[in-house]
Amino acid sequence: MKRFITSPKKSWTAILVVICGLSTAWASELDLIPKPLRVEESSGHFLLTSQATIGYDAALEEQAKYLQQILSQSTGWDLALKADARKTTIRLELNPDKTGKPEGYRLTVTPKTVTVTGEDKGGVFYGIQTLLQLFPAEIYGDRRRPDVEWAAPAVTIHDAPNRPWRGMMLDVARYFYDKEFVKKYIDMMAMYKLNKLQLHLIDDSGWRLEIKKYPRLTEVGAWAGPDHKRLGGYYTQEDIKELIEYAQVRNVEIIPEIEFPAHILSAIVAYPWLSCTGLQHEMPTQHFISKDLLCVGKESSIRFLSDILDETVALFPSPYINIGGDEAVYTRWESCPHCQAVVKREGLEKASDLQGYLTNVVAEMMRKKNRTVVGWEEILLRGKVNTPVVGVFWHNVADTIEATRTGHRAILTPATHMYFDFPESSTPGEVKGATWMPPISVEKCYGMEINDYSPESTVIGVQGCFWSDQFIHGTVLQEIDYLDENRSENYAEYFTFPRLLALSEVAWCPQAARNYSDFSHRLSHHFARLDAKGCHYRVPEPHIEKMEATTDGSLKFTLQPAVAHADIRYTTDGSYPTIHSPLYTAPVTVSDKSDFKAITVATDRHYSLPIYFAPDYSAYAAYGKFTTEWKPLTVQTQNASWRFECTGKISGNGNYAISFIPTKGNNSLHLGKLKLYKRDELLAEVSEPAAADSDTTATVYRFRVDEFEAGTPFFIEVEAWGKGGNDTSGLVFILKESE
Ligand code: ACM
Ligand code: ZN
C-alpha cells in the first residue's frame, strides 16, 4: 500500500520529514472509530521521542505498562514509567470526582504533553486506544519502525460509551481456536472499545473447558475423529485464568457460555447418563445439531449442572454466566418418563415449559452466588421465568419488549445484522459462510436500528456473533490463497473484519450520531491499522461514487477507494480484474454495466472481489431462487454427470421444483437422472424430469426434503450433456412449492 501526504495542513511536517529522511506514514487525522462524543481540534502535533516518560496514578500501573509495551514494540523505545502522573510527558489519571459515565475519558494532546483522564480504569484504557488511533498505523505493529515519525495531532476529546454491553461471541466449540488466537481476538476487540467476550465453550461437536470433577468432558468430548488424526482441543483452567487476566487489562470481560439443554452432545458422548435416553453416541466429525437434550427429570443431571457451574463460577470473575439455551427441540423431553414426571409435579402444560423451569432453577442457583444468568432469547420465551435474567436476542428484536416488561434485560444480536458467519456479499468467488439468510454487508451491519439508550433502558447493549460451524474441525470449504491454506483462524478474521468496526460504532455511539458515509470514509483509513496487527480482513470493493447515463446510452462510473491510498484496477469486458489490469485514474465509460468490474488492491496478495452487479433474474421469479448456470465451456458432450451446490436454496423440509431453462445456443442439454444430497447422504432421487425435455421450455424435476438440517451443504447431481455439441447455455432455479 502506498501512502501520500495529501492534506495541506500537514505540509510543514512533510517538509520536516523529508529533511530528516523519514517515511511519511502519517495517520490520517481524526479518523477515529468509534467516533468520539466530542472532539476539539487545536494546532500543532505532539511528537513522541525516546525521552518521553509515562506517569500514572497508583491504581493505573497495568494500563501504564500496557501503553509502554505497545509503544515499545513499534518505536523500539522503552519509555520510562513513573508512579506519579505529574511532570511526565504522557499522564494517565483517574478522575477523582467521577462526574462522567462509566468507561468515559478525556484525552488532551498538546504539542508538549498527552493527558488521559479516565472515569475508571476502563476509561483510561479507552483514552489510550484513542491516543493510539491518533498515531500512525504502524504503532500497532510488533516490528520496530525507525523510519516512522510518531506524531499525533493536538486535540481534546471527551468521550463515553452509549451502552455498557459492547460484545462479541466467539464460537470456540465448533472449531477450537487456541489461546493465542483468542488473545489476538481480544486485542482487536479492545482496539475498538468492545468490552464483553462471550466464549461459546460448549456445543454438540466439542466441550472446550476443563472441569476437574468430570474429566471425560475434555478427555472424550473435546476430540473428534480417529486416533491418528484427532481434531479439537480445550482450555485448561490455567489457560482460562491466563485469558481472563489478559482480557482484564484490556477492559474485556470474558463471559463463559455453558450451553444446555441442547447443543450438548459432546457431554452426552462423555457421560451418556446425562441424556433422556442414556444411549452411547459418537463425537460428530461434521456439523451436526443433535436432538438429544440434557434430561431435566433426573436428579443426576441437575447435580451435574450444579457441579459444572460451581467450577465455572470459581474460575470466571464475570458477574454474568451464560447458559446458552438455544434451539432445543423437545421430542426427547416429550417421551422421557423422568421429564414428564417434572411436567406433572410442577403443573406445567407441555415439555417446552421445562426450559423455563430449568432457567429458573439455574438462575436461582446463580443468584445465590451473586451471578446473573444470561442466555439466548429462548431462555425467556419458553415458560415463565421469575428470577431476573438477561436475554441475548438473535431473532426477533420485538420479543425484547415483552421480555423486558417482565423484569428482564436484553442484549441485541439480530442475526440479520450481527451474525458475522454470513458472507458480506453474494459476488461469485466470495468466501462461503452461513446461507440461511442473505449476506450482511458492512453497511447493513452499520445500519442496525437501536433505540437511543437511557440509563433506565433495559436494553444493555449490542453484540456481534461469530459462529464456527462452517469451519468445523477444519473442514475444507474453499481455498483462497490469501487466507493461507484454509486456516480457520484466517477465515474467522476475514468474516469478523471490518464488520467488527461497524459493530463498535453501533454499540458505542448514540444512533443519532451514526452516519454511514462518514463512517466508511474513516473506515478506509483503518485497514492500515488492521494490516499492522496482521489481521486477515476482507478487502472492500471500491465505492461507486457516481454512475451516470451518458447521451449515447453508455454508463460513466466514478469510483472512490474503499481502502485509503490503495490502487483500483478495472476491466470493461466482464472479466474479473487482476492486479495487472488497467489502473483506475479517471471515470470509466462502458456500454453495459455488467461488463464493468473493478477491484481494490490493498497489496499484491491482498485484494478485493470486484464490484459486481448481480444479473437481473426477475423475469424468472416464478421458478424460484437462481441456483447456477451452464455455458458451452462447462458442458460435456456425452454421458456426463454434473454436480453443483444448492445450499441456501433448500431452506427447510418441503416439496421443491428444480428448473433447467435454456437461454442460448444451437444445441440442447440432455437431462437424465437427478439426485439430491445432504453433504454425502442421498436424500432424493428422480429418474426423469416431470416436464418434457425441449429446447425452449424449462425442464422441471420435483422432489421432497424431509431431513433438512440448517448449516449443512446440499448438492444436486444430474446426468447432463450437450446433444450433438456443447453450444448451449442456460439457468437453473429452485422453488419451494409447499411445506
Ligand atoms: C443461535 O444462533 N442458535 C443462537
Ligand atoms: Zn428426560
Side-chain angles (χ1 to χ4, degrees):
M1 205 179 320
K2 298 183 299 298
R3 300 204 176 84
F4 310 99
I5 289 186
T6 48
S7 156
K9 210 160 132 194
K10 294 176 203 154
S11 54
W12 71 266
T13 30
I15 293 162
L16 185 75
V17 163
V18 170
I19 293 169
C20 301
L22 295 171
S23 91
T24 55
W26 291 102
S28 177
E29 291 176 22
L30 305 185
D31 290 314
L32 302 169
I33 293 179
K35 195 181 177 78
L37 272 184
R38 206 164 83 231
V39 176
E40 295 151 21
E41 294 187 56
S42 6
S43 58
H45 283 81
F46 169 83
L47 203 58
L48 188 70
T49 70
S50 60
Q51 302 309 306
T53 49
I54 303 174
Y56 57 92
D57 282 357
L60 297 173
E61 186 175 353
E62 279 186 330
Q63 288 68 27
K65 284 188 169 159
Y66 166 88
L67 177 61
Q68 182 197 40
Q69 189 245 332
I70 295 273
L71 296 178
S72 137
Q73 290 185 159
S74 45
T75 66
W77 305 321
D78 285 320
L79 302 185
L81 288 182
K82 300 202 168 160
D84 176 0
R86 288 166 304 170
K87 295 197 188 140
T88 51
T89 328
I90 301 178
R91 302 161 191 189
L92 307 181
E93 304 172 341
L94 278 175
N95 171 13
D97 304 331
K98 298 248 178 254
T99 48
K101 281 178 82 170
E103 301 176 289
Y105 67 91
R106 191 176 67 235
L107 168 66
T108 310
V109 179
T110 73
K112 291 214 159 61
T113 58
V114 171
T115 310
V116 177
T117 308
E119 202 55 30
D120 44 32
K121 289 183 183 180
V124 172
F125 182 79
Y126 291 146
I128 292 173
Q129 293 310 311
T130 302
L131 172 65
L132 293 174
Q133 288 197 19
L134 295 174
F135 282 123
E138 289 78 0
I139 202 88
Y140 294 97
D142 55 6
R143 200 158 62 83
R144 218 183 133 213
R145 292 295 301 264
D147 55 328
V148 175
E149 174 101 322
W150 304 108
V155 70
T156 301
I157 293 174
H158 298 261
D159 201 8
N162 197 39
R163 282 166 210 264
W165 190 292
R166 305 177 303 281
M168 259 315 292
M169 184 223 61
L170 181 63
D171 174 3
V172 296
R174 267 66 168 274
Y175 178 84
F176 178 66
Y177 296 97
D178 68 14
K179 203 169 57 181
E180 291 316 310
F181 181 78
V182 177
K183 285 184 183 172
K184 183 177 180 190
Y185 214 75
I186 290 169
D187 262 344
M188 307 286 298
M189 288 173 60
M191 262 171 89
Y192 292 102
K193 303 188 174 84
L194 300 185
N195 64 352
K196 309 279 179 199
L197 173 61
Q198 176 185 335
L199 268 190
H200 183 74
L201 288 161
I202 289 148
D203 215 301
D204 291 317
S205 45
W207 183 287
R208 309 295 177 202
L209 176 65
E210 179 191 26
I211 297 290
K212 306 256 191 212
K213 195 157 184 181
Y214 298 93
R216 285 176 59 80
L217 289 172
T218 45
E219 283 167 10
V220 175
W223 306 96
D227 281 351
H228 61 282
K229 49 179 209 184
R230 279 203 326 171
L231 295 157
Y234 66 93
Y235 308 109
T236 64
Q237 296 200 353
E238 287 310 307
D239 289 337
I240 292 289
K241 286 179 196 159
E242 188 182 323
L243 285 173
I244 290 169
E245 200 175 309
Y246 188 86
Q248 243 162 10
V249 178
R250 289 156 180 78
N251 199 46
V252 172
E253 183 180 307
I254 301 184
I255 295 100
E257 182 188 347
I258 306 297
E259 166 95 89
F260 59 86
H263 288 286
I264 196 176
L265 183 67
S266 51
I268 290 172
V269 172
Y271 298 104
W273 46 264
L274 287 171
S275 76
C276 292
T277 66
L279 294 175
Q280 180 68 61
H281 295 276
E282 281 186 19
M283 287 298 292
T285 53
Q286 301 281 6
H287 177 54
F288 175 65
I289 299 181
S290 172
K291 291 192 173 60
D292 277 291
L293 303 183
L294 183 84
C295 180
V296 203
K298 291 193 239 172
E299 208 181 298
S300 54
S301 35
I302 301 297
R303 193 167 338 110
F304 170 84
L305 272 188
S306 166
D307 291 341
I308 299 287
L309 290 167
D310 275 354
E311 284 195 39
T312 306
V313 165
L315 202 51
F316 291 87
S318 168
Y320 299 101
I321 300 291
N322 189 309
I323 61 166
D326 59 324
E327 294 187 314
V329 289
Y330 301 100
T331 44
R332 296 285 192 266
W333 284 353
E334 279 159 9
S335 55
C336 170
H338 304 286
C339 289
Q340 285 305 313
V342 180
V343 170
K344 203 162 160 206
R345 187 188 77 209
E346 298 295 322
L348 305 175
E349 273 180 29
K350 49 192 181 307
S352 61
D353 295 340
L354 284 169
Q355 176 138 17
Y357 162 79
L358 189 59
T359 304
N360 267 318
V361 168
V362 177
E364 259 316 286
M365 241 185 236
M366 291 295 96
R367 195 184 58 77
K368 291 189 184 134
K369 291 176 181 287
N370 282 328
R371 306 299 168 99
T372 300
V373 155
V374 185
W376 300 110
E377 63 194 27
E378 287 94 328
I379 66 165
L380 279 167
L381 304 177
R382 309 278 188 276
K384 188 161 161 39
V385 175
N386 301 315
T387 307
V389 298
V390 183
V392 183
F393 286 81
W394 60 286
H395 265 122
N396 185 356
V397 169
D399 283 335
T400 58
I401 296 166
E402 180 53 28
T404 55
R405 220 179 15 224
T406 49
H408 304 292
R409 288 177 294 160
I411 295 159
L412 306 183
T413 184
T416 44
H417 295 70
M418 288 295 164
Y419 268 29
F420 297 165
D421 54 321
F422 284 85
E424 279 194 36
S425 80
S426 47
T427 302
E430 178 62 271
V431 174
K432 286 186 206 164
T435 50
W436 54 273
M437 278 188 327
I440 302 172
S441 65
V442 177
E443 183 167 5
K444 174 144 194 212
C445 173
Y446 190 84
M448 180 194 151
E449 296 245 346
I450 172 167
N451 294 330
D452 267 344
Y453 179 67
S454 70
E456 295 75 40
S457 170
T458 45
V459 177
I460 58 176
V462 183
Q463 183 163 297
C465 290
F466 181 71
W467 295 101
S468 303
D469 46 285
Q470 301 301 313
F471 311 105
I472 186 166
H473 304 313
T475 302
V476 174
L477 288 171
Q478 61 265 306
E479 299 272 352
I480 289 189
D481 281 351
Y482 169 69
L483 297 181
D484 187 13
E485 294 153 12
N486 205 48
R487 289 194 66 221
S488 297
E489 289 75 6
N490 298 349
Y491 281 89
E493 291 177 11
Y494 181 98
F495 277 84
T496 305
F497 297 94
R499 286 182 289 200
L500 179 138
L501 281 71
L503 159 65
S504 150
E505 199 148 308
V506 171
W508 184 273
C509 299
Q511 173 139 341
R514 276 194 260 153
N515 174 314
Y516 183 68
S517 90
D518 175 57
F519 168 77
S520 85
H521 173 80
R522 282 179 282 121
L523 177 63
S524 73
H525 290 276
H526 276 254
F527 294 98
R529 292 174 188 274
L530 300 181
D531 279 330
K533 284 296 286 179
C535 172
H536 299 74
Y537 58 86
R538 179 185 185 279
V539 179
E541 300 85 342
H543 290 307
I544 299 174
E545 188 179 283
K546 269 192 287 188
M547 186 172 71
E548 300 160 286
T550 59
T551 45
D552 67 353
S554 300
L555 280 170
K556 187 165 110 180
F557 285 91
T558 308
L559 305 181
Q560 280 294 334
V563 174
H565 314 306
D567 286 345
I568 296 173
R569 303 267 168 181
Y570 71 95
T571 58
T572 53
D573 62 0
S575 63
Y576 271 30
T578 70
I579 56 170
H580 306 296
S581 300
L583 179 68
Y584 175 90
T585 52
V588 173
T589 302
V590 289
S591 51
D592 183 343
K593 79 174 176 187
S594 62
D595 285 343
F596 180 61
K597 305 252 185 296
I599 59 171
T600 305
V601 181
T603 71
D604 286 357
R605 282 200 70 221
H606 198 188
Y607 42 89
S608 75
L609 287 166
I611 291 175
Y612 176 74
F613 299 99
D616 179 6
Y617 295 126
S618 53
Y620 300 97
Y623 294 99
K625 294 180 185 171
F626 172 74
T627 305
T628 187
E629 62 186 322
W630 74 89
K631 289 179 173 171
L633 269 178
T634 59
V635 173
Q636 310 282 326
T637 48
Q638 50 190 312
N639 294 0
S641 115
W642 177 26
R643 184 177 166 96
F644 55 86
E645 192 168 352
C646 58
T647 316
K649 319 303 177 221
I650 305 295
S651 54
N653 289 336
N655 297 307
Y656 289 84
I658 177 164
S659 303
F660 294 77
I661 305 173
T663 52
K664 254 199 319 214
N666 294 315
N667 300 117
S668 64
L669 198 66
H670 164 84
L671 288 159
K673 191 188 288 180
L674 178 139
K675 295 174 182 170
L676 171 76
Y677 288 90
K678 180 168 85 177
R679 208 182 300 274
D680 297 322
E681 182 190 343
L682 182 63
L683 285 195
E685 189 166 344
V686 194
S687 55
E688 276 183 3
D693 188 351
S694 121
D695 293 355
T696 50
T697 60
T699 300
V700 184
Y701 296 81
R702 290 197 162 79
F703 55 83
R704 181 164 174 83
V705 175
D706 284 316
E707 288 152 86
F708 177 75
E709 202 179 308
T712 309
F714 288 84
F715 298 92
I716 295 282
E717 199 175 281
V718 60
E719 291 170 1
W721 60 85
K723 287 193 284 192
N726 65 353
D727 180 19
T728 169
S729 303
L731 305 168
V732 182
F733 295 87
I734 294 182
L735 177 70
K736 186 172 182 185
E737 293 186 309
S738 60
E739 287 297 324

